[in-house]
Amino acid sequence: MAARFSPPDGRPDGDGRDALAVDLLGVLEEVGAHTGGIYRLEPGGQVLELAVIEGLPREFVRPWERISLTAPIPVAVALREGRLVWVEGEEEMVRCYPGLALALPYQFRMAALPLATDTAPCGGMFVLWPCSHPSRLSSGERDRLAAAATDLARGLEKIPRTGPPLRAGLEPYVPGPPGGGRAEALETMVARLPEGICAMDDHGRLTFISPRGAALIGESPRRLVGARPWRVLPWLNDPVYEDRYRAAMVSRQPTSFVALRPPDLWLSFDLYPLGSGITVRITPAPVEPGDVPAPAPSVDPAIPTRVGAIYHVLHLASALTQAAGVQDVVDLVADQMMPAFGGQALALLTAEDGRLGVVGHRGYPPEITAQYDRLPLRSPTPSTRTMVTGVPSFFESPEEMDQIYPMAVAPDDGMAAWAFLPLIASDRPVGTCVLAFSQPHHFTVEERAVLTSLGGLIAQALERARLYDAKLELAHGLQESLLPHALPRLPGLTAAARYLPGTEGMEIGGDFYDVIRLTDDTVAAVVGDVQGHNVTAAALMGQLRTAVRAYATTGAGPAEVLARTNHLLADLDPGLFATCVYVQLDLRRRVAHLARAGHPQPLLRHPDGDVRVLDIPGGLLLGVDPGAEYPCTEVLLEAGSILALYTDGLIETPGTDLDDALADLGAELARTGEQNLEDLADALIRHARPTGHRSDDIALLLLCPTADPVPDPESDPAPAPAPEESGPPAARPRAPRGRDGGPPPPSVQ
């Protein structure tokens, strides 16, 4: 039986949705599936709205009636990527879509496809099979689904894109004709069975119950037929029992449960799903009252806890586990809550110095959020009242808002309905979540309960995120003070540097670089990598950089600089090791002296484009052996050659051979080396990070001797050394850029 959709005003469905449901049912029959749904892409192109569902009642899919196009859900992924998405079972669902798996913990196989016309994408569809289906789609099934997607897209386009939101209209139950003929014979046959038998449709309503079944349950068949058992029988009003019914419907696999009919009769319910319903066998259960605990009775029978509401809460809870910073929380809450409840705007408010503060919002223009921001907590507005008292407020229309707040002190945000949810963490209010609707909205009892529960989840995630952001800001401030703000400008040399923290953890690490003016014609350059990606590694990195600079400016050669730094690190005994490559360049003679401590080999690009690895001998990692020695190697450099020093984050990728990665980086340097040094650094960084995920930091330093004349200290008086940041701003080397090539974050300026 299909769940037909009609406008909320009850007008007959004449806009093509019935025909679309019939077409979908035909597709399900052809491919042997039991459930399917069609989503329509809303005009804004960011939200998918469920238009037709076959095989399951609406309450099963209520949390996903409206979903963000960015949601990690197969039908959204299929539309975003323009491909068929196949989920072969529960394990793959847990691995690829953990939030959905938590909310639908059942065994089934799923296919999701995009729906598109010749002009543009218009929606998506999903199809479910029981796990008895093979673990792979056959070529015939794929072809049929692809053809069906084209046909259904045309039908979906015929549904108007304007008007009220689509709603599911549940078909009323109509009992069959009274007994007679074959029906009477079947009822007589079933009545002879010692166990009770009943039948349920795909909306969970009883369509038949045998006399024995009614006697075991203890109710009149007339009261049971046409009703959902958990709605009329208080002792079955428990999410655990409804969950078993859902499991049977979604997985199409038999299941069972045991329940206590007061005062002391235990009954076993065996559910056998087939077609558009379920057959249930009811028998006395051979258990003692003390063996199975009875479910707790509902405190208020009029406000039952529905399992769908529980799954809605679980779904958001799973999504919030992915949030790190405050903006992550804002984005996840907006992506989950606004489509699910049909809201058009959302704001998260917190208290700071006795005033409200907007930590994030979606759907509000800046002039509206300004009305919330910096509002005194003593102001008698719904947002401040909710934060101070910790009591949620729901306003279904502007008239209702005006009745309670007649002084018009509530911000005028142009909306027509609001839910003000307290954000309570550790038993104290920490903020308010405002969910607003552009049209009057009726908040059901269940919806109010779910929204209030979600407020608690949001509060916990927001508190964690604010703590994370505070620690991250502190760490970035530390790293900003440890890395050079600019490179020195020297005649005869151009240089460019980039630093990118890893994207895991607190996005800080122990990679460092530096360029040190020694004399007018001599410069030192260093690139190092301290073990670890945390504040300890960053602090030790600062100590090593300072030590290298101090030893270099005393006139020590490369071998002695590394030996002294190694001895210092061994004395500090931080429990961490470091790698390092140190170069001293004579700019007038264009000669480089290099020493290496366990660090990746430098690359040298000659002016003709040839690139080779400088296979220079090296010593142990810094901090391993206080007496380690570090040999020094001399290399001649031509004008226009490029010496590339880097940390292993530039070449190490899980699953990639290190030699292959180094050869690949050399090929990229050969191909792009004709660019100016700043653009070349950007190109090498882009090549090393095709995705935004990095498990390690990256430091890159490019040095290019030029043909510009270098002062000869023996013939010309040495000019006064210029400050490292001297010169016109346009001539200064660019500071290391951020991870996306834009302005650098504080830690990499």
Side-chain angles (χ1 to χ4, degrees), residues 529 562 578-581 595-601 616-622 630 648:
D529 183 359
L562 289 191
T579 68
C580 187
V581 59
R596 190 171 62 88
H599 203 79
Q601 301 279 12
I616 60 176
L620 294 174
L621 278 69
L622 302 178
Y630 300 92
D648 54 9

Side-chain angles (χ1 to χ4, degrees), residues 643-668:
L643 182 63
L645 311 177
Y646 53 90
T647 56
D648 54 9
L650 192 67
I651 56 174
E652 285 189 355
T653 303
T656 302
D657 182 77
L658 196 59
D659 291 336
D660 292 342
L662 185 57
D664 192 34
L665 178 64
E668 182 67 13

Side-chain angles (χ1 to χ4, degrees), residues 240-241 243-245 247-248 253-259 267-273 278-281 283:
V240 173
Y241 305 147
D243 176 74
R244 294 298 83 207
Y245 154 71
Q253 299 294 319
T255 186
S256 63
F257 64 87
V258 175
L267 296 177
S268 175
F269 295 81
D270 299 295
L271 287 66
Y272 301 93
I278 296 177
T279 298
V280 183
R281 184 178 66 177
T283 57

Side-chain angles (χ1 to χ4, degrees), residues 355-393:
R355 293 179 177 271
L356 282 181
V358 180
V359 297
H361 62 92
R362 177 81 62 85
Y364 278 129
E367 60 270 18
I368 298 301
T369 57
Q371 299 182 46
Y372 285 109
D373 205 17
R374 307 307 297 167
L375 193 66
L377 292 181
R378 63 177 179 274
S379 302
T381 67
S383 53
T384 56
R385 188 69 55 83
T386 298
M387 182 180 297
V388 172
T389 64
V391 177
S393 299

Side-chain angles (χ1 to χ4, degrees), residues 506-518:
M506 297 189 68
E507 299 186 6
I508 62 171
D511 290 15
F512 67 96
Y513 63 89
D514 203 357
V515 176
I516 309 164
R517 180 199 300 268
L518 300 179

